[in-house]
Amino acid sequence: MKKVNASITAVGSYLPPKVLDNKTLETMVETTDEWITTRTGIKERRILEKGIGTSMMAIKAVKEILEKTQLDPKQVDMVIVATITPDMHVSATAAHVATEIGATNAFGYDLQAACSGFLYGLSVASSYIESGRYQKILLIGADKMSSIVDYSDRNTCIIFGDGAAAVLLEPNYEGLGLQDEYLRSDGIGREFLRIEAGGSQLPLSKDIIDKKKHFLFQDGKNVFKYAVSNMAEASYNIMQRNNLSNQDVDYLVPHQANKRIIDATAQRMGITDSKVLMNIENYGNTTAATIPLIFSDFEKKFKKGDNIILAAFGGGFTWGASFLKWSYNS
Ligand code: UT7
């Protein structure tokens, strides 16, 4: 029997039209366009209107795939939504997305691994496909970060944005698709990046909300330190493990949190800037959506057989790198 890999066979995305640029942020918190640009590489981000949940962006991203591929949604086996901003804590956003797109034969659930959500989701979805149990899985990275960001906190509001992107995963028998992964987590991270309230440990109350504990908190300097070393190390490890030289790597598709973290990773890998794909300037950090948004924006660049390294670091902490061989020409 031929070995089965899980490969991405289509991509789709959705970004809300409303733009929040650095100049506007200058009027909201003590910051400057120059500081944000030089420290993060971000110029603007997208913001979804109030009262609309993450699922709307996820549904639009998937609909692009369905239109492109003419796939009958009834053939979809499974829908995974990687997100830290589900529509509601209960029930699963993925179940709603599956129903709305007409995937009536699918089951769906949400996966929470913050900025590494897409990498972890790729691991889960690929395992189902490699096992032979399921053939068509929609993996969506979607986050409405504006729903958990405090727009008076310059440590977070300058970085994050809203967006969604989806991939269709299917079996590949030519040796293309996901080849290897190196995934890690370390619970020390919740000291530095968290939403303290709203969970089982500290349910919401008026007092808690007055203290703004329902918003995202980030100790940026410490997160940065861990992110730089771990994302670079994971990317380097996966190259070593698969005997990939810097010449062999065609593209790095990194999580878009801070251009300086991406640059450090590329440097550790010894790859040239032209191989490093970025759209952080336009969307900021969309958490689980950053990596599939790169696939969507740069899809035309990819050629069948390209060696691509994915890398992420985020809350938890969670982090890792994956190696995949692209499976189609578009
Ligand atoms: O994706 C999930 C994981 N998240 C990340 O990977 C984010 C990791 N962290 C970062 O990207 C960076 O730490 C930040 C962009 C959040 C902050 O950049 P930094 O270079 O680490 O800044 P800092 O916190 O060390 O602050 C440097 C200076 C400080 O002033 P002093 O003490 O040197 O006078 C801050 O008060 O910059 C000041 N500062 C700002 N100034 C203007 C901090 N934030 C801002 C701001 N605008 N928004």
Side-chain angles (χ1 to χ4, degrees), residues 111-304:
L111 188 151
Q112 205 273 47
C115 301
S116 307
F118 186 83
L119 280 197
Y120 280 32
L122 188 63
S123 173
V124 171
S126 298
S127 303
Y128 280 120
I129 287 174
E130 287 159 11
S131 76
R133 195 181 295 184
Y134 301 114
Q135 273 72 49
K136 294 190 192 305
I137 301 182
L138 286 166
L139 171 62
I140 307 152
D143 269 301
K144 183 185 182 183
M145 295 305 291
S146 62
S147 67
I148 55 171
V149 163
D150 173 3
Y151 282 92
S152 66
D153 175 10
R154 68 178 185 177
N155 290 310
T156 50
C157 74
I158 57 141
I159 297 175
F160 293 101
D162 303 338
V167 300
L168 175 64
L169 288 155
E170 295 185 88
N172 183 286
Y173 302 95
E174 299 174 88
L176 303 173
L178 184 67
Q179 306 291 310
D180 192 16
E181 65 187 18
Y182 173 95
L183 303 178
R184 293 291 184 272
S185 64
D186 184 345
I188 196 177
R190 75 171 169 179
E191 192 183 323
F192 306 116
L193 185 51
R194 64 171 184 263
I195 297 177
E196 212 178 326
S200 55
Q201 187 172 282
L202 192 62
L204 290 180
S205 68
K206 185 174 177 311
D207 177 50
I208 294 294
I209 290 172
D210 288 346
K211 287 180 178 148
K212 297 190 167 187
K213 291 191 173 187
H214 60 302
F215 283 130
L216 187 71
F217 161 83
Q218 175 175 251
D219 172 346
K221 209 183 278 243
N222 266 307
V223 176
F224 185 88
K225 208 173 65 189
Y226 281 95
V228 163
S229 61
N230 286 313
M231 202 162 116
E233 220 39 51
S235 308
Y236 182 72
N237 280 346
I238 204 131
M239 284 172 70
Q240 295 288 103
R241 234 158 66 166
N242 291 278
N243 297 317
L244 293 171
S245 72
N246 53 0
Q247 298 299 315
D248 297 328
V249 173
D250 291 296
Y251 295 107
L252 168 66
V253 175
H255 170 54
Q256 313 278 303
N258 187 319
K259 185 175 179 299
R260 289 185 291 143
I261 299 173
I262 298 171
D263 289 344
T265 302
Q267 201 180 356
R268 181 78 176 100
M269 295 169 71
I271 57 171
T272 54
D273 287 353
S274 60
K275 294 184 173 185
V276 183
L277 303 183
M278 278 191 254
N279 53 17
I280 190 169
E281 190 176 333
N282 307 322
Y283 314 138
N285 182 350
T286 54
T287 304
T290 58
I291 289 177
L293 274 172
I294 291 278
F295 285 140
S296 178
D297 279 6
F298 293 94
E299 186 186 16
K300 295 213 157 37
K301 252 183 183 296
F302 300 132
K303 302 266 171 308
K304 192 171 171 177

